[in-house]
Amino acid sequence: MKIKEVIVVEGRDDTARIRQAVEADTIETNGSAIDEDVLERIAIAQQKRGVIIFTDPDFPGDRIRHIVSEYVPGCKHAFLPKELARARRDKGVGVEHAGIEDIKQALQGVYELTDEEEGTIEKEELIAYGLIGGPKAGQRREKLGAALRIGKTNGKQLLKRLNMFQISKEQLKETMNQIVQEEKDEK
């Protein structure tokens, strides 16, 4: 599988792992030490070929994703659920620890941000699905983020991401029905 866009990753181990999964060029941010020169290279790559931001599913990865998105609008986003990016014996989380097939799947399911502020999903729907304020809200948000491949979020971020990535009410409903069914089956 060949990726047209340039993939933004945190470090050389991520680059090595991605190249095992797909044929692609990367730009490494050197972790949270991302500087103006790297951001400029990402901006040029976005103009020429497009960019996919593929950072680790943790706080520093989210921070880098936010910095790059702010500086270079129009980037696409690929997400890996945390459980698919864990190192053996729980020694860290990162793209470099993910399986080849998981990386391919994440890159096939990229999302593009839209400029639209108003989305179709509203906070009340998230409350009704038990994604905000309920006893299982955190677990449900994590399962939803993994199923939709939009990453782990808190309640406020979830509403923003669902609308930003244009997740439809129907897609949300179907996914939540699956999650609720899985919860029933676990009992």
Side-chain angles (χ1 to χ4, degrees):
M1 183 165 114
K2 184 164 175 54
I3 305 292
K4 173 186 80 102
E5 296 89 350
V6 175
I7 302 172
V8 173
V9 296
E10 293 181 45
R12 67 177 185 256
D13 291 340
D14 298 330
T15 291
R17 192 66 174 160
I18 284 174
R19 288 189 178 150
Q20 290 174 348
V22 296
E23 204 177 314
D25 294 317
T26 62
I27 294 177
E28 296 163 6
T29 66
N30 298 316
S32 321
I34 188 167
D35 62 24
E36 193 86 19
D37 290 341
V38 172
L39 290 168
E40 278 302 316
R41 280 191 290 144
I42 295 169
I44 291 166
Q46 172 65 355
Q47 291 169 1
K48 303 281 186 196
R49 294 175 49 190
V51 165
I52 299 171
I53 302 171
F54 195 20
T55 54
D56 296 345
D58 57 10
F59 179 78
D62 286 342
R63 182 177 169 276
I64 293 165
R65 183 183 298 278
H66 180 74
I67 290 168
V68 173
S69 293
E70 289 285 310
Y71 195 89
V72 185
C75 294
K76 294 177 182 176
H77 295 261
F79 294 93
L80 261 178
K82 207 173 216 171
E83 63 272 6
L84 296 180
R86 284 204 192 285
R88 289 186 194 171
R89 294 192 273 292
D90 224 13
K91 301 250 187 214
V93 172
V95 171
E96 73 269 21
H97 304 300
I100 301 298
E101 287 306 312
D102 296 324
I103 289 172
K104 286 180 181 179
Q105 205 171 20
L107 290 170
Q108 287 172 342
V110 297
Y111 286 96
E112 197 165 350
L113 300 181
T114 64
D115 291 334
E116 294 175 24
E117 282 293 313
E118 285 299 309
T120 58
I121 297 171
E122 297 177 14
K123 184 178 179 179
E124 291 72 28
E125 292 168 275
L126 301 185
I127 293 169
Y129 285 124
L131 294 163
I132 299 176
K136 296 180 182 176
Q139 291 173 319
R140 283 189 172 180
R141 284 193 307 272
E142 193 167 342
K143 288 177 183 176
L144 181 69
L148 295 175
R149 295 204 168 275
I150 60 172
K152 184 180 175 185
T153 61
N154 65 30
K156 228 183 227 183
Q157 291 170 329
L158 177 61
L159 182 61
K160 186 176 180 180
R161 254 186 220 176
L162 289 170
N163 288 319
M164 212 167 39
F165 293 128
Q166 298 181 323
I167 304 295
S168 68
K169 287 184 181 212
E170 190 56 39
Q171 194 176 3
L172 175 62
K173 180 182 176 183
E174 286 175 18
T175 307
M176 283 310 302
N177 286 343
Q178 289 172 354
I179 290 169
V180 170
Q181 188 58 51
E182 287 170 12
E183 288 173 353
K184 287 178 183 175
D185 292 345
E186 289 171 5
K187 288 182 180 176

